């Protein structure tokens, strides 16, 4: 009984940690990029810093201190065909998503992110990973309608920010599709620490090239690079801690739990941003549209989880059937 209570307490603690770190990191990035006190309006530079910091820290924890273990099985062929596309899309997602914070509010950016299942499903259908059905078409329509209503209710809409945010959504959808195609089909299963170890350096390289051409000259014009190092390092640490919290939540809970926690986090971000940032002006139309979109997202999550559960059950039954056939003696007539 005591062990069950302890396990339940740890589960809720990990969930709260994930929600707090995920929400806090969004607010932290917005503050670093938009605050006049810090004066660091360089989303490419900030994202590049995150990836370099993550690469160095992962290397130290796994290869020098050896407090974490990297799963084996990675080959040059898998890295070139799997990690590089995933790393490139991850870099694109973070870059464009952080850039959107310069133009639109955190709340509105979060509302636009609700369109993610639609992007994943459409690209999945195009790649042959998903099958179009009336039920999925209805769910996608509900999500799209909710996002449109939320956008209609936005007072200070900036279409440049919308384009950046939607570009980030497409990047994340492509990253998930690539993980489905390249990783799952190759049978390589990596925990989040291993993913960070392999993906972070690749993403850093993908971000470094555009940073040289797009932001380095602007940072040089700003004068000596005297940006507050303590705040930037703390921001990088929060990003790394967020990835670790995802690992803890996945380890101690189910897929359904982390998806529900993600929905709760989204609402926390939307409502708290109205209090924390002056550029956030929520309207009833905003909230009504977002509620519709989240209802569609919940239906999508439920549909996917049921599909995954039925697939696991089918695989298990096939495995048992094959074992029974193998155990039966061969007879000749």
């Amino acid at each position: 009984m005591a062990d069950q209570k302890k396990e339940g307490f740890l589960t809720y603690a990990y969930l709260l940690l994930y929600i707090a770190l995920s929400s806090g990191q969004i607010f932290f990035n917005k503050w670093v990029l938009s605050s006049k006190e810090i004066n660091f309006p360089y989303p490419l530079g900030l994202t590049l810093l995150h990836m370099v910091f993550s690469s160095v820290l992962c290397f130290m924890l796994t290869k020098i201190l050896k407090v974490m273990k990297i799963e084996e099985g990675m080959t040059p062929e898998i890295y070139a065909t799997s990690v590089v596309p995933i790393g490139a899309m991850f870099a694109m997602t973070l870059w464009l998503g952080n850039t959107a914070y310069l133009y639109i509010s955190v709340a509105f950016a979060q509302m636009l992110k609700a369109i993610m299942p639609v992007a994943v499903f459409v690209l999945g259908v195009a790649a042959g990973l998903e099958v179009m059905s009336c039920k999925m078409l209805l769910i996608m329509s509900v999500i799209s309608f909710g996002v449109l209503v939320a956008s209609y209710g936005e007072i200070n809409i900036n279409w440049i920010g919308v384009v950046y945010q939607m570009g980030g959504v497409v990047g994340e959808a492509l990253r998930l599709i690539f993980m489905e195609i390249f990783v799952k089909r190759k049978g390589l299963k990596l925990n989040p620490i291993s993913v960070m170890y392999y993906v972070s350096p690749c993403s850093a390289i993908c971000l470094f090239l555009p940073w040289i051409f797009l932001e380095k000259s602007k940072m040089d014009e700003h004068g000596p690079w005297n940006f507050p190092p303590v705040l930037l390092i703390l921001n990088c640490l929060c990003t790394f801690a967020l990835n670790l919290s995802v690992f803890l939540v996945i380890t101690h809970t189910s897929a359904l739990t982390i998806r529900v926690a993600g929905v709760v986090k989204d609402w926390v971000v939307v409502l708290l941003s109205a209090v924390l940032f002056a550029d956030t002006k929520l309207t009833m139309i905003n909230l009504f549209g977002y509620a519709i979109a989240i209802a569609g997202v919940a239906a999508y999550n439920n549909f996917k989880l049921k599909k995954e559960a039925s697939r696991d059950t089918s695989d298990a039954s096939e495995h048992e059937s094959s074992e029974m056939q193998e155990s039966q003696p061969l007879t000749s007539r």
Side-chain angles (χ1 to χ4, degrees):
M1 190 69 178
D3 291 339
Q4 289 181 346
K5 286 184 177 180
K6 184 179 179 181
E7 188 66 26
F9 174 79
L10 284 176
T11 298
Y12 283 112
Y14 291 142
L15 286 172
L16 288 174
L17 180 66
Y18 162 72
I19 292 172
L21 285 173
S22 184
S23 305
Q25 185 61 33
I26 292 172
F27 297 144
F28 203 169
N29 286 348
K30 171 71 173 179
W31 182 58
V32 168
L33 293 169
S34 304
S35 172
K36 293 182 179 179
E37 292 81 14
I38 298 178
N39 196 20
F40 195 84
Y42 308 109
L44 248 177
L46 183 65
T47 311
L48 174 60
L49 195 61
H50 288 166
M51 292 299 100
V52 172
F53 186 88
S54 178
S55 302
V56 173
L57 201 53
C58 281
F59 181 80
M60 290 179 62
L61 291 174
T62 56
K63 298 301 182 181
I64 298 177
L65 300 177
K66 298 186 184 298
V67 296
M68 293 180 179
K69 186 179 180 181
I70 293 298
E71 296 173 8
E72 298 180 356
M74 182 63 67
T75 64
E77 188 267 337
I78 293 177
Y79 193 91
T81 59
S82 303
V83 176
V84 171
I86 291 169
M89 290 303 102
F90 189 49
M92 173 182 167
T93 300
L94 296 175
W95 168 23
L96 297 180
N98 283 332
T99 304
Y101 291 144
L102 296 176
Y103 301 93
I104 59 178
S105 68
V106 170
F108 187 45
Q110 206 66 30
M111 291 177 186
L112 291 175
K113 283 181 185 177
I115 203 75
M116 177 70 68
V118 177
V120 173
F121 182 72
V122 170
L123 290 172
V125 170
L129 301 174
E130 299 280 358
V131 179
M132 183 66 73
S133 65
C134 293
K135 185 173 183 178
M136 286 302 292
L137 189 61
L138 176 62
I139 292 173
M140 297 301 109
S141 300
V142 169
I143 296 174
S144 302
F145 177 72
V147 173
L148 283 173
V149 172
S151 302
Y152 179 77
E154 181 66 13
I155 298 174
N156 301 316
I157 191 167
N158 185 308
W159 290 107
I160 296 177
V162 171
V163 170
Y164 274 118
Q165 185 60 49
M166 297 309 292
V169 167
V170 171
E172 177 64 6
L174 286 172
R175 183 183 73 88
L176 294 173
I177 293 297
F178 285 147
M179 289 186 71
E180 178 78 16
I181 293 174
F182 295 128
V183 178
K184 289 188 177 180
R185 288 188 178 177
K186 293 178 187 298
L188 184 65
K189 295 183 178 180
L190 302 175
N191 62 43
I193 301 299
S194 301
V195 172
M196 280 195 293
Y197 177 82
Y198 290 118
V199 170
S200 295
C202 177
S203 296
I205 293 172
C206 292
L207 290 165
F208 181 74
L209 295 176
W211 175 76
I212 289 290
F213 294 102
L214 298 176
E215 283 190 357
K216 186 178 182 299
S217 59
K218 296 179 182 178
M219 293 175 70
D220 290 337
E221 290 173 5
H222 181 271
W225 292 5
N226 56 356
F227 307 109
V230 175
L231 279 174
L232 294 178
I233 291 174
L234 184 60
N235 184 263
C236 293
L237 272 173
C238 285
T239 302
F240 191 81
L242 172 59
N243 290 321
L244 286 181
S245 72
V246 172
F247 172 67
L248 290 172
V249 170
I250 291 174
T251 304
H252 290 83
T253 63
S254 64
L256 175 61
T257 306
I258 195 167
R259 292 190 186 193
V260 171
V263 172
V264 173
K265 181 265 297 182
D266 292 342
W267 275 107
V268 168
V269 170
V270 169
L271 298 177
L272 271 183
S273 62
V275 178
L276 296 175
F277 298 104
D279 65 344
T280 302
K281 298 287 188 292
L282 294 177
T283 65
M284 289 305 296
I285 299 178
N286 272 146
L287 296 175
F288 178 68
Y290 188 53
I292 294 174
I294 288 297
V297 171
Y300 172 80
N301 287 340
N302 183 58
F303 179 84
K304 293 292 290 183
L305 287 167
K306 285 183 177 179
K307 186 177 178 182
E308 290 169 9
S310 63
R311 185 187 304 155
D312 292 341
T313 303
S314 175
D315 291 343
S317 61
E318 286 179 7
H319 180 68
E320 290 177 2
S321 176
S322 63
E323 284 185 341
M324 289 179 63
Q325 291 175 1
E326 290 173 1
S327 65
Q328 291 176 354
L330 294 175
T331 57
S332 58
R333 291 173 182 258

